[in-house]
Amino acid sequence: MLLDAHNRTIRDLRISLTDRCNFRCFYCLPHGEPSWAKKEKLLSFEELEYLAEIFVSLGIEKIRLTGGEPLIRRDVPVLVEKLSRLKPKLSDIALTTNGYDFARHSEALKAAGLDRVTFSLDTLRRDRFEEITAVDALEKVLDAIETARRLGFDPVKVNAVIVRGRNDDELVEFARFARENEVSFRFIEFMPLDSGHDWSREMVVPGKEIYQKINEVFPLKLIETTRGSGTAWKYEFAAGVKGEIGIIAPVTEMFCGACSRIRLTADGQIRTCLFSTTEHDLRGLLRVGASHAELTDFIKAAVLKKEPSHRINDPAFVQPERTMSFIGG
Ligand code: SAM
Ligand code: SF4
C-alpha cells in the first residue's frame, strides 16, 4: 500500500500524456503560445507501461489519462491496451478529454479497455463555447458525449468549471442537460491554476451557491452523506429521473483530508498535490537505469512527502508555476 505521512492511502494516479492542447480555455491556458515540453522529455508508452506496473504493484487501483489534451498523443488506445494488462489489480482506466478528437478514437478506446470517460464542457451556447475555448467546436463535443453514451461508457461524466460572470448563468441549463442526456454533470470551482494568473477569489462561484441555484429549479437529493475519497458531493434528481449532479468545491470546501491521488506529469515528474511547489523526478531516475526496487522506493518516498493540504486560502498562498494543462487535471 502507498501510505502518506498523514495516514492517507494513495489509490488514484493521474497521468498527463502531454502538456499540449488544441483548445485555449481561458481558465487553463489563456495567454499566448506556451513553451511546451520538448518531445524527448515526454514519457514513452513503454516507459508509462513499466511505471504503471510499479504503481499498481504498490496499490494504485485507478488510473486516469489526462493532459493537456490526452488525445493529441498518437495511438492512445495502444497505451490503454497496455494498461489493461494490469487489470484486475488495476480496477479502472479513465480518460479526461475536451472531446474534440474523441468520436474518431472512441471504438478503439473502448475495445482497448477504457472504462470511463469525462468530457469538459463549460457552456451549451455556441458563441460562448468559442469565447471560452478559442475553438468553434460545441457540436463536436456534444457528438462525443453522445458517442460515449452509445458505446456504453458508464457513467459518462461532464465537467464544467464555473466562473463568475462567464458561465454561472447556465447552471440550470447544465442540470437540464444532465437530466435529458443521463450524464453525471460535475460543477468545479475555478482554481488558481490558470496560465495567465488571472484567478481571483471573486471569480469563484462557491459550491453551495451552485447547489442552491440548481435545487431551486430541480430539487436535488444527496446520494451519500460524505464525499469519501472522491472529491464531489453527489446528488440525484427526483425519483425516476436519470442523470446526476456532482459539485467539486476545492476552494470553499477543501477535501484534502481524504485525498487519495498523486499525479505524473507528461515529463515524468511525480506531483503529490495539484498545488505542489516541488516535484519528484521519476523520469530522470528511470532514464539513468534505476532498478525496479529503486523506482519503487523513490515513489514511496515521494508519497511520504505529500502535502497535508493545499493552501489556497492562506494569505501567503503562491500559485504553482505549472498550470493545470501541464500538471494534468
Ligand atoms: N484537456 C482535457 C479536458 O479539458 O478535459 C483534460 C485536461 S484538463 C486540464 C482537465 C480538467 O481540468 C478539465 O475538466 C478542466 O475543466 C479542469 N481545469 C482546468 N483548469 C482549471 C482551473 N483553473 N480550475 C478548475 N478546473 C480546471
Ligand atoms: Fe486544454 Fe483541457 Fe486546459 Fe481546456 S481545460 S485548455 S481543453 S487542457
Side-chain angles (χ1 to χ4, degrees), residues 52 104 135 193 204 236 252 271 286 289 292:
R104 70 191 172 99
V135 181
L193 289 168
V204 178
E236 56 192 3
T252 64
R271 284 183 75 98
L286 176 71
H292 198 279

mmCIF file of all heavy atoms in Angstrom, residues 52 104 135 193 204 236 252 271 286 289 292:
data_model
loop_
_atom_site.group_PDB
_atom_site.id
_atom_site.type_symbol
_atom_site.label_atom_id
_atom_site.label_comp_id
_atom_site.label_asym_id
_atom_site.label_seq_id
_atom_site.Cartn_x
_atom_site.Cartn_y
_atom_site.Cartn_z
ATOM 1 N N ALA A 52 3.613 2.234 -14.681
ATOM 2 C CA ALA A 52 2.249 1.924 -14.212
ATOM 3 C C ALA A 52 2.239 0.577 -13.497
ATOM 4 O O ALA A 52 1.572 0.405 -12.470
ATOM 5 C CB ALA A 52 1.275 1.918 -15.387
ATOM 6 N N ARG A 104 -13.665 9.888 -33.101
ATOM 7 C CA ARG A 104 -12.958 9.005 -34.047
ATOM 8 C C ARG A 104 -12.092 7.945 -33.368
ATOM 9 O O ARG A 104 -11.707 6.966 -33.988
ATOM 10 C CB ARG A 104 -12.178 9.818 -35.081
ATOM 11 C CG ARG A 104 -10.984 10.565 -34.587
ATOM 12 C CD ARG A 104 -10.510 11.528 -35.685
ATOM 13 N NE ARG A 104 -9.470 12.406 -35.214
ATOM 14 C CZ ARG A 104 -8.190 12.201 -35.443
ATOM 15 N NH1 ARG A 104 -7.805 11.150 -36.134
ATOM 16 N NH2 ARG A 104 -7.296 13.047 -34.983
ATOM 17 N N VAL A 135 -12.061 27.830 -29.754
ATOM 18 C CA VAL A 135 -12.317 26.918 -30.876
ATOM 19 C C VAL A 135 -13.832 26.773 -31.035
ATOM 20 O O VAL A 135 -14.554 26.676 -30.045
ATOM 21 C CB VAL A 135 -11.689 25.522 -30.602
ATOM 22 C CG1 VAL A 135 -11.929 24.571 -31.755
ATOM 23 C CG2 VAL A 135 -10.195 25.651 -30.343
ATOM 24 N N LEU A 193 -4.983 27.890 -11.047
ATOM 25 C CA LEU A 193 -4.041 27.063 -11.816
ATOM 26 C C LEU A 193 -4.039 27.489 -13.275
ATOM 27 O O LEU A 193 -3.693 26.714 -14.158
ATOM 28 C CB LEU A 193 -4.444 25.585 -11.699
ATOM 29 C CG LEU A 193 -4.210 24.942 -10.328
ATOM 30 C CD1 LEU A 193 -4.897 23.590 -10.225
ATOM 31 C CD2 LEU A 193 -2.717 24.796 -10.050
ATOM 32 N N VAL A 204 -14.624 32.955 -8.228
ATOM 33 C CA VAL A 204 -15.038 31.614 -7.779
ATOM 34 C C VAL A 204 -16.524 31.628 -7.432
ATOM 35 O O VAL A 204 -16.970 32.474 -6.661
ATOM 36 C CB VAL A 204 -14.220 31.186 -6.528
ATOM 37 C CG1 VAL A 204 -14.683 29.821 -6.017
ATOM 38 C CG2 VAL A 204 -12.742 31.183 -6.843
ATOM 39 N N GLU A 236 -28.720 13.260 -6.743
ATOM 40 C CA GLU A 236 -29.590 12.757 -7.800
ATOM 41 C C GLU A 236 -30.816 13.647 -7.882
ATOM 42 O O GLU A 236 -31.094 14.447 -6.986
ATOM 43 C CB GLU A 236 -29.976 11.300 -7.537
ATOM 44 C CG GLU A 236 -30.631 11.048 -6.205
ATOM 45 C CD GLU A 236 -30.730 9.557 -5.871
ATOM 46 O OE1 GLU A 236 -30.238 8.719 -6.641
ATOM 47 O OE2 GLU A 236 -31.313 9.251 -4.814
ATOM 48 N N THR A 252 -13.783 26.405 -1.588
ATOM 49 C CA THR A 252 -14.604 26.785 -0.433
ATOM 50 C C THR A 252 -14.884 25.625 0.520
ATOM 51 O O THR A 252 -15.311 25.846 1.642
ATOM 52 C CB THR A 252 -15.948 27.397 -0.893
ATOM 53 O OG1 THR A 252 -16.695 26.380 -1.587
ATOM 54 C CG2 THR A 252 -15.749 28.587 -1.804
ATOM 55 N N ARG A 271 3.879 14.522 -8.908
ATOM 56 C CA ARG A 271 3.357 15.655 -8.120
ATOM 57 C C ARG A 271 2.376 15.078 -7.109
ATOM 58 O O ARG A 271 1.443 14.358 -7.467
ATOM 59 C CB ARG A 271 2.618 16.649 -9.005
ATOM 60 C CG ARG A 271 3.525 17.523 -9.824
ATOM 61 C CD ARG A 271 2.703 18.512 -10.591
ATOM 62 N NE ARG A 271 2.201 19.561 -9.739
ATOM 63 C CZ ARG A 271 2.761 20.758 -9.610
ATOM 64 N NH1 ARG A 271 3.834 21.048 -10.287
ATOM 65 N NH2 ARG A 271 2.234 21.665 -8.808
ATOM 66 N N LEU A 286 14.434 6.893 -13.911
ATOM 67 C CA LEU A 286 14.138 5.803 -14.853
ATOM 68 C C LEU A 286 15.183 5.768 -15.971
ATOM 69 O O LEU A 286 15.697 4.711 -16.341
ATOM 70 C CB LEU A 286 12.734 6.023 -15.435
ATOM 71 C CG LEU A 286 12.252 5.068 -16.512
ATOM 72 C CD1 LEU A 286 11.967 3.697 -15.899
ATOM 73 C CD2 LEU A 286 10.972 5.593 -17.179
ATOM 74 N N GLY A 289 18.618 4.312 -15.632
ATOM 75 C CA GLY A 289 18.666 2.858 -15.500
ATOM 76 C C GLY A 289 18.425 2.346 -14.089
ATOM 77 O O GLY A 289 18.891 1.256 -13.742
ATOM 78 N N HIS A 292 14.046 -1.693 -10.584
ATOM 79 C CA HIS A 292 12.650 -1.753 -10.161
ATOM 80 C C HIS A 292 12.547 -1.352 -8.682
ATOM 81 O O HIS A 292 11.701 -0.527 -8.287
ATOM 82 C CB HIS A 292 12.176 -3.195 -10.382
ATOM 83 C CG HIS A 292 10.702 -3.385 -10.424
ATOM 84 N ND1 HIS A 292 9.945 -3.459 -9.270
ATOM 85 C CD2 HIS A 292 9.824 -3.518 -11.454
ATOM 86 C CE1 HIS A 292 8.666 -3.636 -9.588
ATOM 87 N NE2 HIS A 292 8.567 -3.676 -10.918
#
